[in-house]
Amino acid sequence: MRPSSARARALLSAALLLGCATSGAVAQGDGRGRGESLNRGVFWLNLRVDDYLLEPAAQGWSFVTPEAVRLAVDRLFVNLRFPIRFAANLGQGKVRPSASELARFLVNSTLGVGGLFDPARRLGLEPYGEDFGQTFGWWGIGTGPYWVLPLIGPSDPRDALGLLFDTALDPLTWLNLGVPGIGALDVVNSRALAADDILRARAAALDYYVFVRDAYLQHREALVRDSESLSGEPAPRGPADDLYEIEDEEEDEEEP
Amino acid sequence: VSFERIAPALAAVFLAAAPAFAPADPTPPEGASAIVRETLDAALEILGDEKLSDDQKLARIEELSYARFDFQTISRLVLARGWRQMTEEQRGEFVEEFKRHLSVTYGQNLLDYKSQKIEMRDSRLEPNGDVTVRTEVVGGPAEPIRIDYRMRGNEQDWLVIDVIIEGVSLIQNFRAQTQEILTSKGPQGLIELLREKNEAAQKGG
């Protein structure tokens, strides 16, 4: 499961299903063509894994735990993954955010009982969720084509590379070698927290594959844009302006 | 990596101790922002009213949002070129079904939002005269959720033409979906699919 920022997780975990992920160019048409049938195939496979394995496991987990416990477990994992956010912030020259993340980690690991609680926030230490996909985006690296990765879910070449860096820095990667099942707990717990969102997203989507693809691309691009805005540009831009032009007679859809 | 890219980073390093950058443009139309604030307050009041049943709440929220959303424009923007492929009658049907779709699928989500608060952030005047009103839903169990409203003004009012949740534009997302369906099934096929989805959602809900 992708170590995304807590916010990314909170929000459209629905759309980012099966691996809250990472990415870039909002594209009308990206991901179609050559790669699409393969992507759709892998997406379908991931959904089956979710239907038969992950969702039932998450339901069971929800049955035996109150939501407060699931949220605490989530905070614990988020806290554990502090090295990723620290390094990804530094990689974008964000010294204050990375310092804030460091302070949060120190406070929450101690006063917050390993991260089960978040007393740092009450001290005014804000989280700055970043990952290496975002860092590479901030460096100006494009996303490349949309990819659906087996078991991981939505991604693209840039975010897949970012995921490698994230995974290398993820204490869970090392913990898992000694204590098997910790990673599984994280995945099941995250899936349980996102259950309602996923259910609604599947009901709302006309084409769930396209819904997820587009939500992923838009969301990742917004995250990268937000990062840029911190470094001195004005408030982050919204979607491209031509999205809001009513077309009259002429064809003027354009590639970004 | 170009120097332009790195310069702000370096600047940020040196300014690390200084307060955060001030927002760039403080005064886009307050009218749009006030309208959003008003509408959200009214919605929160309905959702927090313990005398109302869930169905009553939804009915009132529906009434509130039907008055505030410009579904005609939303539909045109979602369909883009597809709008021109439709007959006048199909357009009307699409607008109605799409309205119902947003209501049955997203209305339900709102019932969760009881205890949260909405914070207004700085709004932004867009090049075409629209205003993006930025808000944050805070106080829930998880992280704050950013929701932006794209508002378009006419002579007497500001109406919502897009909702952007954590960077994901509703229009963009539905455009991506409908474009593919229009290509494979045509306008009538799209309307039928929407109708089926709505009926299933209404039965299920």
Side-chain angles (χ1 to χ4, degrees):
Chain A
M1 192 95 178
R2 168 150 201 92
S4 66
S5 70
R7 161 175 284 160
R9 191 172 290 222
L11 114 83
L12 285 173
S13 26
L16 313 179
L17 160 66
L18 286 180
C20 335
T22 353
S23 123
V26 174
Q28 291 109 326
D30 227 36
R32 284 179 233 174
R34 280 169 303 150
E36 165 145 5
S37 55
L38 179 61
N39 275 341
R40 277 192 188 264
V42 176
F43 188 75
W44 182 87
L45 222 65
N46 285 346
L47 282 183
R48 296 290 82 77
V49 173
D50 185 59
D51 286 345
Y52 291 110
L53 215 66
L54 200 46
E55 195 189 5
Q59 270 173 354
W61 176 243
S62 294
F63 186 73
V64 297
T65 53
E67 194 185 28
V69 168
R70 298 194 292 277
L71 287 167
V73 168
D74 190 58
R75 285 192 292 266
L76 185 77
F77 282 114
V78 169
N79 185 55
L80 196 63
R81 290 194 162 113
F82 140 81
I84 301 170
R85 297 187 297 277
F86 183 73
N89 269 305
L90 274 187
Q92 300 173 51
K94 296 179 182 172
V95 176
R96 281 162 62 94
S98 54
S100 180
E101 279 290 346
L102 175 62
R104 283 178 57 78
F105 177 70
L106 295 175
V107 171
N108 286 346
S109 298
T110 51
L111 296 177
V113 200
L116 286 172
F117 306 98
D118 186 5
R121 191 186 287 274
R122 253 162 276 148
L123 299 176
L125 296 166
E126 293 292 318
Y128 293 90
E130 294 284 342
D131 54 52
F132 274 87
Q134 282 167 259
T135 302
F136 295 150
W138 186 86
W139 289 359
I141 298 174
T143 58
Y146 177 66
W147 279 353
V148 182
L149 301 178
L151 300 182
I152 290 172
S155 190
D156 56 52
R158 184 190 75 201
D159 286 344
L161 183 68
L163 183 59
L164 283 179
F165 278 73
D166 294 343
T167 308
L169 282 174
D170 189 346
L172 260 186
T173 308
W174 306 105
L175 265 176
N176 257 327
L177 299 177
V179 196
I182 290 201
L185 173 63
D186 180 37
V187 172
V188 169
N189 189 62
S190 301
R191 176 64 178 78
L193 285 172
D196 286 349
D197 294 337
I198 292 172
L199 217 61
R200 285 170 190 154
R202 290 183 76 162
L206 301 175
D207 178 335
Y208 191 50
Y209 169 82
V210 179
F211 172 93
V212 172
R213 181 191 73 200
D214 178 75
Y216 175 78
L217 293 174
Q218 283 202 62
H219 179 62
R220 289 299 295 178
E221 202 207 342
L223 288 178
V224 171
R225 264 196 321 252
D226 279 3
S227 299
E228 285 170 347
S229 74
L230 259 184
S231 60
E233 285 172 36
R237 310 243 353 109
D241 290 319
D242 60 358
L243 181 63
Y244 299 105
E245 271 168 36
I246 295 213
E247 295 191 27
D248 290 323
E249 295 310 312
E250 274 148 299
E251 307 264 347
D252 61 349
E253 199 99 300
E254 51 189 15
E255 292 295 323
Chain B
V1 182
S2 64
F3 178 71
E4 287 87 331
R5 223 47 213 258
I6 292 180
L10 290 176
V13 171
F14 293 123
L15 295 174
F21 295 91
D25 182 4
T27 47
E30 274 102 37
S33 181
I35 292 271
V36 170
R37 171 88 259 182
E38 244 168 61
T39 310
L40 292 172
D41 282 344
L44 288 182
E45 197 175 317
I46 294 168
L47 292 171
D49 189 339
E50 280 163 22
K51 292 190 293 285
L52 299 176
S53 72
D54 280 0
D55 283 346
Q56 287 171 314
K57 285 180 188 174
L58 284 179
R60 295 205 185 176
I61 293 283
E62 202 168 70
E63 194 184 334
L64 186 70
S65 42
Y66 281 3
R68 190 46 65 196
F69 281 69
D70 181 352
F71 288 103
Q72 181 86 7
T73 302
I74 292 172
S75 300
R76 285 189 77 164
L77 291 172
V78 163
L79 292 174
R81 276 179 247 177
W83 183 261
R84 291 201 304 271
Q85 299 164 9
M86 285 188 174
T87 64
E88 211 44 58
E89 198 193 342
Q90 286 174 324
R91 289 172 181 174
E93 272 181 85
F94 181 84
V95 173
E96 277 316 302
E97 289 298 334
F98 195 59
K99 199 164 153 179
R100 183 153 77 111
H101 187 67
L102 296 180
S103 166
V104 294
T105 54
Y106 290 88
Q108 204 69 31
N109 294 7
L110 293 174
L111 293 175
D112 290 348
Y113 282 106
K114 278 164 222 169
S115 63
Q116 279 107 316
K117 296 205 164 45
I118 291 161
E119 281 176 7
M120 307 298 286
R121 304 171 72 207
D122 49 324
S123 43
R124 178 179 61 229
L125 180 63
E126 303 291 351
N128 73 347
D130 292 347
V131 172
T132 300
V133 178
R134 303 165 67 219
T135 74
E136 205 159 88
V137 181
V138 297
E143 288 293 300
I145 299 171
R146 289 174 39 183
I147 304 184
D148 297 352
Y149 299 87
R150 178 113 177 179
M151 309 294 287
R152 185 161 287 181
N154 57 28
E155 297 78 38
Q156 62 293 73
D157 215 352
W158 288 96
L159 295 175
V160 181
I161 61 159
D162 195 11
V163 182
I164 302 142
I165 303 172
E166 288 284 334
V168 180
S169 146
L170 179 112
I171 292 205
Q172 165 78 49
N173 190 274
F174 273 100
R175 186 185 287 187
Q177 294 184 67
T178 54
Q179 292 312 301
E180 298 209 0
I181 295 163
L182 278 170
T183 311
S184 58
K185 299 194 170 108
Q188 200 56 42
L190 173 64
I191 294 168
E192 294 306 328
L193 179 69
L194 202 49
R195 187 172 290 142
E196 278 166 32
K197 277 265 166 191
N198 289 343
E199 264 144 38
Q202 266 172 330
K203 265 190 212 119

